[in-house]
Structures are given as C-alpha cells and as structure tokens.
Amino acid sequence: SLSAYAFDQQQSIVCVSVCVRPNLAPLLERVKNRSAALSVPNQSPMERFLKRHLSVTQLCEQSWCEIKMAYGFVKPKVRMLEMQKTEVTTGASIHLARELEVKPDVVTVAAVTREDREALKLISMLQMVPALEAGQLVREFPVFGVLEGMFFMGVVDKLYRSDSGELVLSELKTRSHNSLPRPPRTRGHSLQVGMYKLLFDSMVKGSVKRDHLLHNLQLDPNQVLGSDLQTHTRTLGLQAVTFRELLDHLLVVLTCSNLCAIDKLRLEYSHQSSGKLIGTREVAFEEAQLRTKIRGYLAYWRGERVPQGVEVEEAWKCRMCPYEETCDWRRDRSHRLMMVNKRAKLEC
Ligand code: SF4
C-alpha cells in the first residue's frame, strides 16, 4: 500500500510503482510525465545540458531543490530574472567590494581566447599562493579538480591564517534579514565549503593533473597566450608562452608550496543593507559523509535517477521559488498528501 514513508524516505519512481493502488494510477502517470519533462530517456542531464564539468555552486543549488535547479536549465529566462533580484546583485557587489579591499591595484589585461581567460585565473592563483604562504589574507581563490569522478570548479571566497596559525577557509554569505540563518538554510553553505576544502587539499597535495583541466574545459595546451597576457606574465616575472607552460608552472608552484590542507571551515554572515557582520559559524568536516552526499547528487547528473523536489517538511522553500505556480512536483506533492490524508480518514 502507499504510505508517506514510500514517498518521503525513498522518493523514487520505482518505489512508487511497487506501492501503487489502482486509484492512484493517474497521479503516478503525471509523476512520470513530470520526470520525463526534466529528463530525456537515454540521455543523462550531463549530456542533455551539454556539460563536461560542474561548478560547486551548482551542487549547492541542487541541495536546495533538484527540481528548481533542473527548471533553471529548461526555463532559463525565469532563472535569469531571479539572478537579477536585488538580493543577488547586492550580494555580488559586496563580494566585489571585499575583493577590491585586498586587491586595490586592478590591471586590465585583454583576453582574446578561452585559454587566455582561463590563464588569467591561473595567473591570479600564482600571485595568491606566495601571499598565502607569507600569511596574508587572499580572496576569490579559484579551485578545481576531480571529486567522485566529476570535474568541479569553484572560487573560494577567503583564505587566511588564524592567530594560532591554522589555515582557514571562509565563505561570505549576505542576508537581507539581520539574523543568522536556521540550519536547513545552511545545508548548501556547509556543502559548499566542504567541497572547496576537498578541491583545495587535492590541489596542494598534487592530485590535480594537467589533463584534468585541459580535457574537461576543452582547452588547447599549445594555444599561444595573447600578446597582452604575455606582457602581463613577464611583468610578474613568469616565463610562459603557451597555456600548457602556464598551467604546468602553477601545478608545480601549488605542490611545492608550504601550503597544507585547510584546517578550519567557516561561514560568515553579513547584513546586506548595513553591511555589518551578523555572525560566523564553524563547519564540521566529515569527509566520508560529504563524499556520500556528492555521489548522491552526481547520480542525478549521470542519469541514474530522476530529480527530486522538496518534500512537505520543507514546503516553505516553494513559497520563495519562482517556479511555484508551475511546478509539477509541488502540485503532485499536494495531491499525494491529499490522497494519503483521505485514505487515513477512511481507514480510521
Ligand atoms: Fe522545488 Fe518547490 Fe520550487 Fe518546485 S516549487 S521547484 S519543489 S522549491
């Protein structure tokens, strides 16, 4: 028989289909159709959305609601409007202002090719590694590497040494409310800093290989860097003509640096309108648990399961979702609840 447990705990079409009662068949058909709209048979989301790698923030969005994230791909205009909301743009401006505090001398360098654009990130890293070794605070540090068989990219907000010499990775989150968020809202934030740590640690341990970046970003290792970029690298004392030379140099610098694994993960919450710090939270790092979570999220990307929306315990998320009116998952969830309640009443 159909029970809340079947939906809440297992949340899979297979589970639903074995629990079906005849009068629930139309509802289940709609669930299947919804899944079909967000996933194409014989095509994983990686293939369907033409992806070779993922960003850390993508997985964080997924941890909020997979259906919402998937809608972002099939209904990009709605997502674009969401990204233009005042809270999002104000948050981005605060991040930029903080970055400029530690990088006051902005240099304009023309990037002509994709390799040039990636090279700019590598050059920025090459400048930040010695600063970090010298105990300085750095911001917007790019991280990349392979986690559970998938290539990920991300940008760490802040890295610094604490008074006791620990290497701290901190992520700034801005909030419209002047209070710390409740735990369900911080799940994605903890996932984000945990993944950044995994990527950063593997970079300084030498686990990231040249081909990981070249293959996953489809970059030409022999691409000669633009003339503006070459002039810039020379002013920094770097000798690199091709993208491969610059990348190899960075990988050696990372591995031979005195940087070790991240010691502490921290979330910093700041009030958007006043810019004042609301508070900080330490994040515990449980590697095995984190890797299990990542594998679970990747199962969707690899087409091993359909996307899952939020269940009734977290229905408050739907009230702030731009897809609330059109979301099939939300509609089906209400129907499922109604049916379960009706059945419970009848059985009483
Ligand atoms: Fe997810 Fe709810 Fe938005 Fe649907 S309405 S996409 S279930 S958050």
Side-chain angles (χ1 to χ4, degrees), residues 65 67-68 71 309-310 317-318 321 324 327 329-330:
C65 172
I67 298 281
K68 183 178 181 227
Y71 274 147
V310 299
K317 288 182 179 175
C318 302
C321 176
E324 185 187 9
C327 175
W329 175 280
R330 181 177 155 273

Side-chain angles (χ1 to χ4, degrees), residues 122-192:
L122 306 189
I123 291 170
S124 163
M125 291 167 82
L126 279 164
Q127 289 178 285
M128 284 192 270
V129 169
L132 200 51
E133 284 181 300
Q136 292 169 23
L137 179 152
V138 300
R139 283 194 181 272
E140 304 296 316
F141 189 93
V143 283
F144 50 83
V146 178
L147 296 179
E148 302 305 314
M150 180 68 72
F151 187 77
F152 280 99
M153 296 189 78
V155 181
V156 175
D157 184 39
K158 185 162 84 174
L159 288 166
Y160 62 96
R161 292 255 174 222
S162 66
D163 293 342
S164 49
E166 292 165 314
L167 188 55
V168 184
L169 185 156
S170 173
E171 180 66 23
L172 171 70
K173 296 286 169 201
T174 61
R175 283 179 57 74
S176 50
H177 295 289
N178 196 3
S179 58
L180 283 173
R182 291 176 185 209
R185 289 178 190 257
T186 61
R187 228 177 280 140
H189 303 166
S190 305
L191 173 73
Q192 186 176 7

Side-chain angles (χ1 to χ4, degrees), residues 38-169:
L38 294 175
S39 55
V40 174
N42 305 324
Q43 245 192 354
S44 71
M46 288 301 285
E47 291 163 333
R48 185 179 177 206
F49 303 130
L50 305 173
K51 296 192 115 356
R52 289 189 153 268
H53 65 276
L54 295 174
S55 70
V56 171
T57 45
Q58 232 145 18
L59 243 68
C60 300
E61 280 182 32
Q62 189 178 354
S63 72
W64 180 263
C65 172
E66 274 184 354
I67 298 281
K68 183 178 181 227
M69 184 206 59
Y71 274 147
F73 287 103
V74 291
K75 301 180 178 186
K77 275 192 189 160
V78 182
R79 182 176 154 74
M80 217 163 67
L81 289 176
E82 204 195 7
M83 297 307 286
Q84 287 165 0
K85 275 184 178 173
T86 324
E87 304 94 81
V88 181
T89 50
T90 311
S93 310
I94 293 173
H95 271 269
L96 181 63
R98 298 260 176 121
E99 188 184 358
L100 291 176
E101 281 171 13
V102 292
K103 292 180 190 166
D105 306 321
V106 178
V107 183
T108 307
V109 182
V112 183
T113 60
R114 284 182 58 238
E115 286 76 10
D116 279 358
R117 283 195 290 278
E118 292 306 319
L120 282 173
K121 288 184 204 162
L122 306 189
I123 291 170
S124 163
M125 291 167 82
L126 279 164
Q127 289 178 285
M128 284 192 270
V129 169
L132 200 51
E133 284 181 300
Q136 292 169 23
L137 179 152
V138 300
R139 283 194 181 272
E140 304 296 316
F141 189 93
V143 283
F144 50 83
V146 178
L147 296 179
E148 302 305 314
M150 180 68 72
F151 187 77
F152 280 99
M153 296 189 78
V155 181
V156 175
D157 184 39
K158 185 162 84 174
L159 288 166
Y160 62 96
R161 292 255 174 222
S162 66
D163 293 342
S164 49
E166 292 165 314
L167 188 55
V168 184
L169 185 156

